[in-house]
Amino acid sequence: MTDEELMRLALMEAEGAAARGETPVGAVLFDPASGQVVASAGNGPIGAHDPTAHAEIVAMRAAAAKLGNYRLTGLTLAVTLEPCAMCAGAISHGRIGRLVFGAEDPKGGAVLHGPRFFEQPTCHWRPEVTGGVLAEEGAALLKAFFKARRR
């Protein structure tokens, strides 16, 4: 699958999250070796009553359970928004091979912004990172969601 195809799947997860009243962020874990999507999720902190239920973490939990291993080495994680520090830490601990994200997040992102997690000397695993994939679509979903909330 191409990065754009993966991001389209992640955007569908983000739309599902928005429909549930969650911040519209979606994530997909893909195994390039098998060509299969291993797991996907949308944001879920509100519904799960769990502050860690960001799309990336929910998808990683599902993939780890499915594969029977917390190390997700070799998988590609596509997410519609630049991961926060918590999610970047989980990506590192999970040994994700490649991170593809859509929109940048100057306020809460931790890959290109804020702590730049993967650039820290204390970060022991760094995925290959590609940003900006279908960024406009992911950003538009977020803007529309929060604009509707402010009315």
Side-chain angles (χ1 to χ4, degrees):
M1 281 189 135
T2 67
D3 290 351
E4 289 79 14
E5 289 170 325
L6 288 174
M7 194 59 67
R8 293 241 176 257
L9 293 175
L11 285 164
M12 288 180 8
E13 291 290 343
E15 290 167 355
R20 295 186 307 275
E22 303 276 1
T23 301
V25 177
V28 174
L29 271 163
F30 175 73
D31 182 359
S34 69
Q36 299 295 311
V37 170
V38 178
S40 61
N43 255 10
I46 297 167
H49 309 291
D50 179 356
T52 69
H54 289 196
E56 301 95 307
I57 291 178
V58 175
M60 286 190 289
R61 285 178 182 154
K66 183 175 184 177
L67 299 174
N69 193 339
Y70 77 98
R71 290 195 171 168
L72 304 172
T73 310
L75 299 186
T76 297
L77 173 64
V79 60
T80 58
L81 183 66
E82 176 184 354
C84 69
M86 176 182 68
C87 291
I91 290 164
S92 179
H93 285 283
R95 310 288 200 274
I96 297 291
R98 187 159 178 264
L99 168 64
V100 177
F101 70 87
E104 291 184 20
D105 186 359
K107 283 183 170 179
V111 177
L112 300 179
H113 299 90
R116 297 178 183 242
F117 189 90
F118 302 125
E119 295 176 22
Q120 299 307 311
T122 54
C123 178
H124 299 294
W125 180 271
R126 294 165 180 85
E128 175 188 329
V129 177
T130 301
V133 177
L134 302 180
E136 298 80 17
E137 291 181 41
L141 258 177
L142 287 159
K143 286 177 187 169
F145 178 82
F146 287 113
K147 183 177 181 181
R149 293 268 184 227
R150 287 190 287 270
R151 289 182 182 176

